[in-house]
Amino acid sequence: KYTKFSICYYWINSLDQKTSIYSRLESVTIPSGEENKTAALSYDYRIMPLENTSSTGMYYCKVKWNDIQKMGKGVFVLVRDTGYINTSYGWEILVTLTVLLAVLSITTTALLLWKRKVLCPRRNQPNILRPEVETQLPSASPPPTPVYD
């Protein structure tokens, strides 16, 4: 009694209009020893391509035996014009941050080296700012006593 059934795929649009997509008749043979047992069978159907945004709606599957009808919970499908556009900017932000840090690092290093060159000239360069030391002749008077003594 339940070996012959029909499978129907349909969708309901936003105006609650039911549109049949596909239907087929199935006939299943029951192996010996499996009579009077519940069986679950999978049937897949791909709906491709969806024409336009009016294809948005709930898609259902329904199975009919002679006196019984079972309907699936349905799947909501949203169809867009341009397709899905990923708006994640993770890589762009990472590359921008890396370039910015590299530029700042190079600039800071250059400034530190330039500042060091200005403040600490090399030893073989003549020091223009060196004060000239006066030479004193030794005299008989003792040197002045420092204040902290």
Side-chain angles (χ1 to χ4, degrees):
K1 178 178 177 179
Y2 298 109
T3 59
K4 293 184 183 187
F5 54 92
S6 66
I7 301 173
C8 302
Y9 297 93
Y10 64 93
W11 69 285
I12 298 175
N13 63 13
S14 59
L15 302 172
D16 286 334
Q17 296 170 334
K18 183 177 176 179
T19 304
S20 178
I21 300 170
Y22 177 76
S23 64
R24 70 181 191 204
L25 292 172
E26 287 289 329
S27 180
V28 178
T29 57
I30 300 173
S32 62
E34 297 294 318
E35 298 90 357
N36 297 325
K37 289 186 178 180
T38 302
L41 300 173
S42 287
Y43 293 93
D44 293 332
Y45 179 72
R46 290 184 186 252
I47 304 165
M48 294 189 43
L50 296 174
E51 294 87 23
N52 51 34
T53 57
S54 65
S55 299
T56 295
M58 287 294 292
Y59 286 75
Y60 296 94
C61 172
K62 179 170 57 174
V63 179
K64 289 194 282 186
W65 290 271
N66 291 336
D67 56 346
I68 298 174
Q69 177 175 307
K70 293 283 185 181
M71 190 170 85
K73 296 177 182 177
V75 174
F76 179 75
V77 176
L78 175 64
V79 182
R80 296 183 179 180
D81 283 342
T82 57
Y84 179 72
I85 298 171
N86 191 357
T87 57
S88 174
Y89 299 108
W91 282 106
E92 290 85 356
I93 292 172
L94 184 63
V95 168
T96 303
L97 187 62
T98 303
V99 168
L100 181 66
L101 288 175
V103 167
L104 287 174
S105 175
I106 292 169
T107 305
T108 305
T109 304
L111 284 173
L112 285 173
L113 290 175
W114 178 73
K115 200 74 160 165
R116 181 177 178 206
K117 197 174 198 180
V118 169
L119 292 179
C120 304
R122 290 188 213 154
R123 293 182 188 192
N124 60 0
Q125 290 179 342
N127 192 352
I128 300 170
L129 300 177
R130 181 182 299 162
E132 298 211 9
V133 178
E134 293 181 16
T135 55
Q136 293 181 354
L137 294 173
S139 62
S141 63
T145 308
V147 176
Y148 59 85
D149 280 348

